[in-house]
Amino acid sequence: MPYLTYSEYKSYLFAEVDEIEFNRLLIRASDVLDNVTSDFYQLNVLETDIPFRRNKFKKAVACQIEYFNELGATTFEGINNSPQSFSAGRTSVSNASRYNPGGANESKPIAAEEVFMYLTGTGLLYTGIGVMSR
């Protein structure tokens, strides 16, 4: 079952995306969120989870869809393949970084920063080791 419906996405008032593009991006966004949450909802049922965590997760999925839509790419390589600089005749344009003045060694992450904002405090970002009881 998909993590998010098109009507839910529209109700969150994220950037406008048509339904065909939404369905395409939903698959990739879901994969990213599964990775970030250590496949929590592959092992648990989203719709029966507590409303607080369920709603935050759905907003994170919507946020990831918006991120992919704005960047026009869904892979790490696609997101980061823009040139640092280019020249046309005597004109040169450089895409300097806010972190590194030369623009080198910086890349955009596959997961939107806002995803972590939505998931903080839900327990879905936990990366420790669980203890099994007998």
Side-chain angles (χ1 to χ4, degrees), residues 85-101:
S85 63
F86 67 92
S87 298
R90 296 185 326 180
T91 303
S92 179
V93 177
S94 192
N95 295 326
S97 164
R98 63 186 169 125
Y99 300 108
N100 183 339

Side-chain angles (χ1 to χ4, degrees), residues 18-30:
D18 68 56
E19 193 165 3
I20 293 169
E21 185 67 2
F22 168 82
N23 289 325
R24 185 181 78 79
L25 296 174
L26 176 62
I27 295 166
R28 298 304 298 249
S30 297

Side-chain angles (χ1 to χ4, degrees), residues 5-6 10-11 28-29 54-55 62 64 71-73 90 97 102 115 121 124 131 133:
T5 66
Y6 184 61
K10 286 173 44 176
S11 74
R28 298 304 298 249
R54 178 180 61 226
N55 293 335
Q64 187 65 39
L71 294 177
R90 296 185 326 180
S97 164
V115 162
L124 293 172
V131 177
S133 62

Side-chain angles (χ1 to χ4, degrees), residues 38-115:
S38 301
D39 292 316
F40 184 83
Y41 288 117
Q42 291 295 314
L43 306 170
N44 298 279
V45 180
L46 174 64
E47 296 307 322
T48 60
D49 201 1
I50 59 172
F52 170 76
R53 185 168 43 210
R54 178 180 61 226
N55 293 335
K56 292 281 199 167
F57 181 79
K58 287 181 177 244
K59 284 185 179 181
V61 173
C63 178
Q64 187 65 39
I65 289 169
E66 181 180 56
Y67 180 69
F68 282 158
N69 185 58
E70 285 181 5
L71 294 177
T74 60
T75 64
F76 183 81
E77 187 62 33
I79 290 170
N80 289 291
N81 74 356
S82 63
Q84 289 295 324
S85 63
F86 67 92
S87 298
R90 296 185 326 180
T91 303
S92 179
V93 177
S94 192
N95 295 326
S97 164
R98 63 186 169 125
Y99 300 108
N100 183 339
N105 299 326
E106 182 185 328
S107 59
K108 293 178 184 164
I110 190 81
E113 288 297 317
E114 291 84 357
V115 162

